[in-house]
């Protein structure tokens, strides 16, 4: 009975929304024009990066805070356990992972730099770095993480801390996260560098902290 | 029909699939997957509708980029909670789903 109701509701939902999409008029507000008009003063030449780190910088500030919060919650749920290493993988797999990891670091730094003028940026770079860490973990070269030490804690919080410091300093000059146009490019690169390190550690941590207590449960 | 509209329609279908999955599936792992399918549908609608006239709009794209990263974090948290539930009770269903 419940199944029929839910499926009928879902099909009706698709029907109503799809039919309304076909006769949707043009958007009332076109944000492409203002984004393009202020691009020269934003410090970067790629519009998505400009939106993420300049026009709507506070979105990204809160996003990294949410990520940090999720990681802290995972640490709290998992309790205090020592890191565990998965079984060693085949030597060929290990060698390939060892070859891939340095390349992934180069790709991540390139993505961070390219974010200023083409698709890329701190999030993509952080995801690639985190993938490298997960790859090394899965072939048995990087043990799962136990309770984080001071260095790891600082790394996890670095992106949020750098971003918050920039925001606080700019607040004394005027408005929250309103960069002066001549310094915008450097500030965005500084924030993105911090974000990349923190995002890589947080995303890798989401996997490696969860992987640690596999022998105790 | 433009490719943007096609993306948005696919997004609507994925969202409805995800909603049905979350409502009907008891197994928590599969329910988390359904929740992610739902989220992907919402992202597709945002990006697709914004570029239905051909040119992409950077503002929804930046919002979706933020959303994807937050969705990853939320999924990891949900998986950690599921794992804890499994360690404590040995089940992968919520108590009300088992009774009802």
């Amino acid at each position: 009975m419940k199944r029929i109701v839910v499926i009928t509701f879902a099909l009706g939902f698709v029907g109503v929304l799809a039919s309304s999409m076909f006769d949707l008029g043009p958007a009332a507000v076109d944000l492409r024009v203002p984004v393009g008009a202020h691009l020269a003063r934003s410090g970067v030449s790629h519009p998505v990066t400009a939106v993420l780190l300049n026009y709507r910088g506070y979105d990204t500030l809160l996003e990294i805070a949410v990520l940090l919060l999720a990681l802290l919650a995972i640490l709290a749920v998992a309790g205090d356990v020592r890191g565990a290493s998965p079984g060693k993988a085949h030597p060929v797999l290990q060698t390939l992972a060892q070859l891939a990891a340095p390349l992934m670091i180069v790709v991540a730094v390139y993505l961070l730099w390219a974010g200023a003028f083409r698709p890329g940026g701190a999030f993509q770079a952080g995801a690639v770095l985190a993938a490298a860490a997960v790859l090394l973990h899965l072939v048995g070269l990087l043990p799962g993480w136990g309770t984080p030490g001071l260095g790891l804690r600082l790394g996890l919080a670095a992106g949020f801390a750098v971003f918050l410091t920039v925001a606080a300093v700019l607040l004394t000059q005027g408005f929250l996260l309103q960069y002066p146009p001549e310094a915008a490019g450097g500030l965005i690169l500084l924030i993105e560098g911090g974000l990349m390190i923190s995002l890589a550690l947080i995303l890798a941590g989401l996997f490696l902290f969860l992987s640690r207590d596999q022998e105790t449960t | 029909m433009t490719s943007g509209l096609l993306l948005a329609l696919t997004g609507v279908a994925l969202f409805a699939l995800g909603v049905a999955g979350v409502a009907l599936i008891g197994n928590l792992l599969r329910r988390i997957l359904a929740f992610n399918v739902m989220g992907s549908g919402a992202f597709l609608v945002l990006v697709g509708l914004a570029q239905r006239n051909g040119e992409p709009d950077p503002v929804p794209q930046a919002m979706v980029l933020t959303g994807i990263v937050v969705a990853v974090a939320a999924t990891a948290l949900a998986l950690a909670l599921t794992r804890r539930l499994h360690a404590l009770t040995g089940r992968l269903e919520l108590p009300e789903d088992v009774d009802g």
Side-chain angles (χ1 to χ4, degrees), chain A residues 153-167:
Chain A
R153 280 169 207 249
L154 283 177
L156 288 169
F160 187 47
V162 168
F163 212 151
L164 211 57
T165 311
V166 171

Side-chain angles (χ1 to χ4, degrees), chain A residues 1-15, chain B residues 12-26 31 34 38:
Chain A
M1 185 59 208
K2 184 186 170 194
R3 182 172 291 265
I4 297 169
V5 172
V6 170
I7 291 176
T8 317
F9 172 78
L11 286 177
F13 177 81
V14 172
Chain B
V12 170
L14 280 179
F15 185 84
L17 259 178
V19 170
V22 169
L24 291 176
I25 297 172
R31 187 177 276 185
M38 210 170 114

Side-chain angles (χ1 to χ4, degrees), chain A residues 46-147:
Chain A
H46 192 257
V48 175
T49 308
V51 172
L52 269 180
L53 284 151
N54 199 332
Y55 307 148
R56 295 191 63 89
Y58 48 90
D59 270 5
T60 310
L61 178 63
L62 291 178
E63 173 190 7
I64 186 75
V66 166
L67 275 173
L68 201 57
L69 202 62
L71 190 82
L72 292 179
I74 284 175
L75 283 174
V77 168
D80 187 16
V81 199
R82 294 183 63 81
S85 185
K88 294 273 183 240
H90 195 275
V92 174
L93 214 53
Q94 287 194 339
T95 312
L96 281 178
Q98 273 173 324
L99 286 175
L103 286 177
M104 287 168 96
I105 294 174
V106 174
V107 168
V109 174
Y110 167 73
L111 277 173
L112 178 72
W113 182 253
F117 49 89
R118 55 169 63 202
F123 294 99
Q124 291 84 335
V128 170
L129 281 181
V134 170
L135 187 67
L136 288 177
H137 175 67
L138 287 178
V139 298
L141 293 172
L142 184 69
W145 291 348
T147 306

